[in-house]
Amino acid sequence: MEKAIKSYKAALKVITHEAMPHYYRLIQHNLGHLHFDENNWQAAYTAYQAALETTETLYTLDEGSAEGKQAELAKNDDLVARASYCLAKLDRFDEAVVTLEQGRTRIFSETYNATLLKMASETEQQNYTEASEQLKILEKEMYKAGQKNTRSRDEVLADLEVARAELSTIVETIRQAVPDFMPKGFNFQSICQLATRLKQPLVYLLTTPKGSLALIVPPNTTTIAEEQVVWLDDFNTKKLKGLLYDTDGKPRYLHLIEILPLLDEQLITPLVERLKQLGYSQAMLIPMDTLNLLPLHADTELTFSFAPSARLLQTALNKTQSYTDAPLSLLGIGNPTAEGQDPLKYGLAEVTAIAALFPQEQSLCENAATRAAVFAALGAKTHIHFSCHGSFDTNDPPNSALYLAGKDRFTVQDLILGRVDLAKTQMVVLAACQTGITDFEKTPNEVIGFSGAFMQAGVPAIISTLWPVDEISTMLLLHRFYEISISLKDNQPPAHAFQQAQYWLRDASAETLIDYSRKITQYLPKRYARHCKIQIKKNGAYEDPYYWAGFVFSGAKLEASK
């Protein structure tokens, strides 16, 4: 170990950030791991930070495809989590939170900024493009500065400072017309303000080979104290992989009866107990990496909702129009006749029954659920409900889709590129398979999936799924959720109402479920009724977490302005 560390340090005297950035990053990456294994937290953090900064430089200078840029970020591996873990070990908790927040949504933010740039004037767009290109040219020149037949480093550096100042001036000018363009750094104070606005703590949850860690950012605070840090030493990346995959590499996380007790004992229960000690009954979880794949909210005393990142949630809340006493309205997309997809047996009943709970509603079902019709109707509704087929594309996450009529699709890319107007939308419910999954194979911290995309588009609350879901249990669960949350009888916070609906489905007797299903299927057209006979033969028919734990509630719905 000592020889390896000595050799890496010697290599860094020759291999520099400026001259050989790819090799420099690799050495700092490996050096950080060596120090991490030895519990040398400061040295490990220094190396990891150098690797992360080099990745940012390489990403910025990369003129290749989106896949190439994604590959640059993928080389960070788990460096963000490890770097934050090191900072926490050094009692630098606030910095650990900021590092985690900054390590997410890099590609997502850049793609969105490119969309916002198109809203600026042609002159501003041209000025920004030219200034950016000039900056890239000078940064590349900096790598070779001082060599034969090149300018000195001081000369290039002077030009770089001028170019950066010019680009900053252009960005500020664009922000005057497009406020969300290239937002300034989301610092710890901003994260604390978001927790205060939500009236609940934000909980950053990460896993490393040494163990896991929860960092709790409570409302009305300016710093994190030791009591708000939960060390979860019994749960590490090896155990996480064991819950996610069998030894042959096949997914294991659907075997919920097996994995939930382990997850609860080693990760969730200690966190819940600490939050209860601090006096909280609900919290917003921001899980890192592949923790996103697990139903961390299942069977807890507390109400957990999720956010891809604090910045994305803040973006959604800022864009959402102030809630008023205007009646709630629903756009329901039910059982689109998607080419190559089997019809949903209960999709039409689900949408029709839910629509009956709203004072205003519009339903686009079967052949009527075209892309053009859906896009035209989106902007005028407070709630949007999709009962359709969906898929997550692991090779190309922005291509993940909800299937509409014929060959039409609604993709993550549509949301990222701002092709739909969701300014009035308070909630989106995705009763489709795998709509809550993000890119967990290549860049899991990029949260490129439907939840993050809808938040970026301005929707503050989303219900989505982690795995393929059962039609009947989905219909019962979501109707019960709307009944609790949306009807005039109960006006509960939606995250809590959704948890109640999940536990209702889990515990309901056969008689209760039969009576409830009859109430829903009465809305079906006669031509469907004979195909939709629901048979529930035993109590606890949907007790298995597979039927209810796959749905996750992301975001929050703030109270109406007084």
Side-chain angles (χ1 to χ4, degrees), residues 430-451:
L430 302 171
C433 299
Q434 296 180 302
T435 50
I437 296 178
T438 61
D439 178 11
F440 57 91
E441 292 191 343
K442 297 176 182 176
T443 50
N445 281 325
E446 281 300 309
V447 294
I448 303 175
F450 273 106
S451 294

Side-chain angles (χ1 to χ4, degrees), residues 101 104 202-205 284-288 305-310:
E101 182 65 34
R104 299 175 74 76
L202 298 173
V203 181
Y204 288 81
L205 192 59
M284 180 75 64
L285 294 185
I286 304 178
M288 302 293 121
S305 49
F306 295 82
S309 73

Side-chain angles (χ1 to χ4, degrees), residues 49 55 94 180 200 257 273 288 304 372-373 391 419 471:
Q49 187 63 17
T55 295
D94 298 358
D180 290 334
Q200 60 179 299
I257 293 178
E273 290 302 316
M288 302 293 121
F304 282 146
S391 65
R419 292 169 178 159
E471 269 200 72

